Amino acid sequence: MVLSGGAINSPQLLQLSGVGPGALLSTHGIPLIAERAGVGEDLQDHLQVRTILKCTKPITINDEIGSLMRRLGVGMRYALWRKGPLTVSAGYAGAFFRTNDRVATPDVQIHFITFSTDRMGERLHPFPGFTASVCQLRPESRGFVRIKSRDPAAAPAIQPRYLSTETDRRTNVEGMKRLRAIMTMPAMRPYVLAEHWPGPGVQSDEEILQYCREVGSTIYHPSSSCRMGVDDRAVVDPRLKVYGVDGLRVVDGAIMPNVVSGNTNAAIVMIGEKGADMILEDAR
């Protein structure tokens, strides 16, 4: 049997089925099948901290969507020629850089997005605007996914514990400072009218860290909640088999020992392909 629910639903389903921390399952009256303290623990995710800048020209997706005629034009351009804003996912451009000379490889990724909003998925701003964000690539912080009820339809408790280590706090602050410096470079100045978020009132390290705490959000890379390993807290072995349960594998991003240093999609595709190879090998 293969469980592939992702870093949120895989540990939830295991816990509901009696595989997980005994004390948690006992609280919800679930019979224990296999005591695995690590099920749902060690959750990792990439934190995204966004800056929003007002643009000097009406050339952003805010302007395209805010005008009925321009919105229709965007749709027609895509329908007829497969060109225009609808051919691009949210991130229009990106970059990787080091926040200090002590790290050997880039520890921060930035995303450049040609629209702006108070919250992803909500209405775009009525002014020309764009977004630039910081994402720490190798966070140390770890959280958890824990069921709150034996009802499978009930959402679990999800706590990533962002910024819970000094390294994570320092990296995000330094990343924000460098990102803001990039937005003042000569190539950007003709397009930046003002910094809407966090604004000129946020300058000190303490103020930047508080801003990171207030506006930081997931960048949709949860992992590691059914971690692969050989220690007592590991959930699956190196062949993705769940410890203590015969014939069950977890094959998804939950098995990562640590979140990868970048977007998780390609790595999770690789996990799926490698897991399929292992299943075929064992079947033979």
Side-chain angles (χ1 to χ4, degrees), residues 11-277:
Q12 178 190 21
L13 288 170
L14 286 173
Q15 292 169 6
L16 289 169
S17 302
V19 181
L24 174 67
L25 305 191
S26 176
T27 298
H28 299 294
I30 297 173
L32 183 66
I33 292 175
E35 170 75 47
R36 297 310 301 177
V39 173
E41 301 300 306
D42 297 314
L43 174 70
Q44 281 201 305
D45 189 17
H46 289 138
L47 178 68
Q48 175 182 227
V49 183
R50 296 182 294 137
T51 64
I52 294 174
L53 300 108
K54 291 184 174 180
C55 187
T56 56
K57 304 173 184 181
I59 57 175
T60 69
I61 293 181
N62 292 13
D63 308 292
E64 302 279 12
I65 300 303
S67 163
L68 176 60
M69 293 303 296
R70 292 180 68 172
R71 187 160 67 244
L72 290 172
V74 167
M76 290 293 293
R77 189 179 181 193
Y78 178 77
L80 295 175
W81 301 291
R82 292 296 191 266
K83 294 184 177 180
L86 293 183
T87 64
V88 181
S89 62
Y92 190 82
F96 295 85
F97 62 81
R98 296 184 300 161
T99 58
N100 62 77
D101 294 333
R102 296 186 300 276
V103 293
T105 58
D107 56 346
V108 161
Q109 180 180 8
I110 62 175
H111 298 82
F112 184 86
I113 304 170
T114 54
F115 63 82
S116 66
T117 178
D118 285 344
R119 186 174 180 178
M120 289 299 177
E122 296 186 352
R123 184 182 297 274
L124 303 184
H125 288 136
F127 53 79
F130 56 90
T131 303
S133 67
V134 164
C135 167
Q136 182 189 4
L137 294 175
R138 293 183 294 279
E140 295 178 344
S141 301
R142 290 186 180 269
F144 60 79
V145 178
R146 297 171 186 165
I147 55 171
K148 297 186 291 185
S149 164
R150 62 185 301 165
D151 178 5
I158 305 169
Q159 174 53 267
R161 290 190 177 128
Y162 297 124
L163 303 172
S164 59
T165 74
E166 178 58 30
T167 295
D168 292 3
R169 293 188 288 269
R170 184 177 64 249
T171 301
N172 276 273
V173 169
E174 291 301 317
M176 279 288 293
K177 289 160 72 173
R178 295 201 177 201
L179 175 62
R180 294 173 92 181
I182 291 170
M183 292 299 106
T184 65
M185 294 293 181
M188 294 300 302
R189 286 175 194 160
Y191 301 97
V192 178
L193 177 65
E195 186 183 78
H196 182 65
W197 279 10
V202 175
Q203 295 296 332
S204 70
D205 288 3
E206 291 76 14
E207 291 168 339
I208 295 172
L209 178 58
Q210 184 59 30
Y211 176 77
C212 292
R213 293 186 188 281
E214 291 174 355
V215 308
S217 63
T218 180
I219 204 167
Y220 318 113
H221 295 166
S223 70
S224 308
S225 54
C226 295
R227 182 172 58 80
M228 177 176 65
V230 295
D231 58 286
D232 291 340
R233 285 178 62 88
V235 177
V236 300
D237 67 17
R239 295 189 67 79
L240 308 186
K241 295 179 179 180
V242 177
Y243 286 110
V245 182
D246 292 335
L248 177 62
R249 280 182 165 96
V250 176
V251 186
D252 59 35
I255 66 94
M256 294 181 182
N258 302 284
V259 67
V260 294
S261 301
N263 296 49
T264 53
N265 179 70
I268 291 173
V269 170
M270 179 277 295
I271 290 169
E273 293 180 348
K274 184 65 175 178
D277 290 343

